[in-house]
């Protein structure tokens, strides 16, 4: 028997899908994380440079908040399509598109000489940023998904499931750590550059980080495309060992002549003719019916606690300089404590949550503490250093629960869409809060910080519901 070079080996029908070597997988994870580094670095430019934008360009707190709002609003609109695009085109294509567009937006910011030009750049940046977080968490969720286990022996399968869930949670924790390093870098590096070289030079530094991340996205896309091609070739090889009737073009389903059909009663298994709109409505209904209530608790935590903690650091420079007497660099050092704490705690809590489970209890504890901390911040009854450390700890706990839990509660087939909806919730909060807090700060001063207290309390109530629905 002759076997051509292009044919798969005869044992292909008994082997599983191709496995990516561990060094290549680690390299791909590192490239994915670094691509996210540039996205986060450029995202927090308005917050890091807020005093300099106000002093050099004359922007108000409301205008600074609007720069965040237009980005988050663009992301929120783009997220509606990013999950569908991710499920349709795959990880590397969507990642490369998003990184290219957001780098273009950062370039427009650096070149603009007016507030309107800055806003346009932020909108472009937001369009490119829309799929970025969804791509990162979906890629990790696909790589380390318990559904990929082919072992049937119960004890060994359970052991492998626990191992994969642990790797999934820890990898998500590493993602959070690296993104917080980006936040730490932007709040410490850009004020130094602005002091020495000016605000415009600081904007160009952020654009440089965008181009470096674009280069890593290109390398990642090459490796991911190779992996996708190997998987497609394996699936094609498997089709050669399917039912010979299907391979020869003979239908395995008997064809019933029209005259033999009894039309006096409804026939089963007959095709139902539907319009395209009916199909879309049916698909949407099936999608939402597949999402459990625990998923919507994760949605609520993203909208309340995660979005408020992110905006808390973004407005930290403004509040610390206006009400606590810090200068720009001093405020940046205080805010960076949040990023350092979050970076240090994220892998630890990711491991702890994966080991001890009881995610709802972790969420309940974190939301209670962060609500109390926000209230102390409003009263100015605690040192800003302690406040930002505690917010960083609570944020790392919620980070270890929200997105890492999604692959565990929704089917793999809709993971991209499910992730994109939670990202939509996060960016809905990120788009509304800056304008609300910035406007309140211009009108009522430090009382604007009560918004954080309200959102923390809402997150606590959602965590309580999460605890009732999923006590384990």
């Amino acid at each position: 028997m002759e076997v051509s070079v292009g044919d798969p080996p005869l044992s292909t029908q008994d082997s599983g899908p191709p496995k990516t070597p561990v060094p290549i997988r680690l390299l791909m994870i590192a490239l994915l994380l670094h691509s996210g580094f540039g996205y986060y670095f450029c995202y927090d430019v308005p917050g890091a440079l807020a005093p300099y934008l106000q002093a050099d360009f004359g922007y108000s707190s409301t205008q600074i908040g609007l720069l965040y709002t237009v980005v988050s609003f663009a992301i929120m609109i783009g997220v509606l399509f990013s999950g569908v695009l991710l499920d349709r085109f795959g990880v590397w294509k969507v990642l490369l598109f998003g990184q290219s567009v957001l780098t273009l937006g950062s370039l427009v910011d650096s070149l603009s000489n007016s507030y309107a030009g800055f806003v346009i750049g932020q909108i472009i940046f937001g369009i490119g940023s829309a799929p970025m977080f969804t791509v990162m968490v979906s890629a990790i969720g696909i790589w380390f998904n318990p559904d990929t286990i082919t072992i049937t022996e119960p004890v060994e399968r359970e052991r492998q499931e626990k191992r994969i869930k642990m790797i999934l949670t820890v990898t998500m924790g590493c993602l959070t750590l690296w993104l917080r390093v980006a936040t730490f870098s932007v709040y410490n590096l850009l004020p130094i550059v602005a002091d020495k070289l000016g605000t415009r030079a600081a904007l160009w530094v952020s654009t440089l980080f965008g181009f470096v991340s674009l280069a890593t996205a290109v390398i990642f896309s090459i490796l991911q495309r190779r992996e996708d091609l190997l998987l497609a070739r394996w699936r094609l090889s498997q089709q050669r060992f399917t039912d010979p009737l299907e391979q020869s073009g003979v239908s395995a389903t008997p064809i019933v002549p029209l005259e033999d059909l009894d039309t006096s009663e409804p026939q089963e298994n007959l095709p139902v003719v539907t319009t395209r709109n009916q199909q879309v409505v049916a698909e949407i209904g099936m999608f939402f019916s597949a999402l459990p209530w625990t998923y919507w608790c994760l949605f609520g935590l993203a909208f309340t606690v995660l979005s408020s903690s992110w905006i808390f650091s973004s407005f930290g420079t403004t509040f610390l300089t206006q009400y606590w007497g810090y200068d720009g660099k001093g405020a940046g050092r205080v805010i960076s404590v949040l990023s350092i704490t979050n970076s240090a705690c994220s892998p630890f809590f990711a491991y702890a949550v994966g080991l001890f489970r009881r995610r709802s209890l972790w969420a309940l504890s974190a939301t209670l503490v962060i609500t109390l901390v926000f209230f102390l911040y409003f009263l100015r009854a605690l040192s800003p250093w302690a406040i930002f450390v505690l917010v960083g700890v609570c944020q790392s706990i919620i980070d270890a629960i929200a997105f890492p839990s999604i692959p565990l509660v929704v089917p793999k087939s809709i993971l991209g869409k499910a992730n994109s909806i939670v990202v939509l919730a996060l960016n809905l909060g990120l788009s509304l809060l800056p304008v609300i807090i910035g406007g309140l700060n211009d009108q009522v001063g430090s009382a604007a910080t009560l918004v954080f207290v309200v959102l923390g309390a809402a997150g606590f109530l959602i965590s309580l519901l999460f605890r009732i629905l999923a006590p384990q």
Side-chain angles (χ1 to χ4, degrees):
M1 177 180 178
E2 295 184 0
V3 180
S4 64
V5 176
D7 289 334
L10 295 178
S11 61
T12 302
Q13 55 184 323
D14 298 323
S15 62
K19 303 293 184 181
T20 302
V22 173
I24 298 297
R25 176 63 75 218
L26 292 176
L27 175 61
M28 294 177 69
I29 292 175
L31 292 170
L32 185 68
L33 297 185
H34 194 273
S35 181
F37 183 96
Y39 156 49
Y40 260 61
F41 189 95
C42 296
Y43 176 85
D44 271 317
V45 167
L49 294 178
Y52 304 92
L53 293 173
Q54 290 173 325
D56 296 343
F57 298 164
Y59 297 165
S60 66
S61 296
T62 302
Q63 287 177 309
I64 298 295
L66 184 61
L67 293 177
Y68 273 110
T69 294
V70 293
V71 169
S72 299
F73 186 76
I75 293 175
M76 184 177 63
I77 299 300
V79 161
L80 296 174
F81 307 97
S82 61
V84 177
L85 293 176
L86 182 61
D87 292 337
R88 173 66 178 84
F89 296 105
V91 169
W92 70 268
K93 293 180 181 178
V94 180
L95 174 70
L96 195 58
F97 166 79
Q99 188 66 59
S100 301
V101 176
L102 74 86
T103 303
L104 175 62
S106 179
L107 179 62
V108 172
D109 285 343
S110 298
L111 293 172
S112 64
N113 293 315
S114 65
Y115 182 75
F118 211 124
V119 170
I120 292 173
Q122 290 293 92
I123 293 174
I124 297 173
F125 178 85
I127 293 173
S129 301
M132 290 297 294
F133 195 75
T134 303
V135 166
M136 290 186 287
V137 297
S138 296
I140 295 172
I142 291 171
W143 291 338
F144 306 110
N145 195 300
D147 293 341
T148 59
I149 299 176
T150 57
I151 300 174
T152 56
E153 200 277 320
V155 176
E156 180 63 18
R157 181 178 179 85
E158 182 179 1
R159 189 181 72 84
Q160 289 294 332
E161 285 183 351
K162 289 182 179 179
R163 175 175 172 271
I164 289 181
K165 289 179 180 179
M166 177 66 69
I167 295 174
L168 168 68
T169 306
V170 171
T171 306
M172 291 286 192
C174 292
L175 170 63
T176 302
L177 184 153
W178 193 236
L179 297 181
R180 294 309 172 198
V181 170
T183 302
F184 168 81
S185 301
V186 69
Y187 276 99
N188 284 272
L189 177 60
L190 292 192
I192 295 175
V193 175
D195 281 336
K196 294 183 177 299
L197 302 175
T199 305
R200 183 70 61 182
L203 292 174
W204 278 109
V205 169
S206 67
T207 302
L208 177 62
F209 272 90
F211 276 105
V212 173
S213 294
L214 176 59
T216 61
V218 171
I219 300 173
F220 172 87
S221 298
I222 294 172
L223 295 175
Q224 184 64 52
R225 182 176 182 273
R226 175 183 175 275
E227 184 175 300
D228 292 345
L229 289 175
L230 290 175
L231 182 60
R233 182 181 178 186
W234 174 80
R235 288 173 176 169
L236 180 63
S237 69
Q238 294 301 296
Q239 293 178 3
R240 302 187 182 185
F241 300 96
T242 55
D243 189 349
L245 287 175
E246 296 180 4
Q247 294 295 319
S248 61
V250 179
S251 174
T253 304
I255 301 176
V256 182
L258 183 62
E259 59 272 14
D260 293 342
L261 289 176
D262 181 10
T263 58
S264 59
E265 296 182 2
Q267 299 296 316
E268 297 182 357
N269 302 322
L270 290 180
V272 179
V273 179
T274 60
T275 64
R276 176 58 182 167
N277 290 339
Q278 290 174 327
Q279 291 176 352
V280 170
V281 171
E283 291 175 0
I284 294 175
M286 292 176 61
F287 168 74
F288 281 102
S289 64
L291 300 175
W293 278 105
T294 49
Y295 169 83
W296 294 110
C297 291
L298 302 175
F299 176 96
L301 287 175
F303 176 74
T304 55
V305 180
L306 280 185
S307 64
S308 62
S309 62
W310 286 16
I311 296 300
F312 184 76
S313 62
S314 300
F315 269 87
T317 304
T318 301
F319 288 136
L320 290 176
T321 54
Q322 291 182 357
Y323 307 121
W324 296 80
Y326 288 85
D327 60 9
K329 288 190 292 186
R333 285 193 292 269
V334 175
I335 295 170
S336 65
V337 170
L338 189 155
S339 301
I340 294 173
T341 305
N342 188 279
S343 301
C345 293
S346 289
F348 168 76
F349 283 117
Y351 179 81
V353 170
L355 181 64
F356 298 108
R357 304 181 186 179
R358 300 188 181 277
R359 299 169 187 266
S360 58
L361 185 59
W362 285 98
L364 194 64
S365 303
T367 52
L368 175 61
V369 172
I370 203 171
T371 303
L372 295 176
V373 171
F374 284 156
F375 187 65
L376 292 175
Y377 184 66
F378 163 71
L379 297 176
R380 290 186 236 174
L382 190 63
S383 167
W385 293 90
I387 288 173
F388 278 82
V389 166
L390 291 172
V391 172
V393 171
C394 296
Q395 190 182 62
S396 63
I397 296 175
I398 300 299
D399 285 338
I401 296 169
F403 287 97
S405 299
I406 297 175
L408 306 180
V409 299
V410 302
K412 180 181 176 181
S413 59
I414 61 172
L415 181 59
K417 300 184 185 70
N419 277 322
S420 67
I421 290 179
V422 177
V423 175
L424 172 66
L426 176 60
N427 283 281
L428 180 61
L430 294 178
S431 64
L432 296 176
L433 289 180
V435 172
I436 294 173
I437 296 174
L440 288 175
N441 184 54
D442 288 337
Q443 297 296 323
V444 298
S446 62
T449 55
L450 276 174
V451 174
F452 297 114
V453 181
V454 173
L455 290 171
F460 175 76
L461 294 177
I462 293 171
S463 298
L464 186 61
L465 176 62
F466 189 29
R467 176 67 177 163
I468 295 172
L469 295 174
Q472 300 301 322

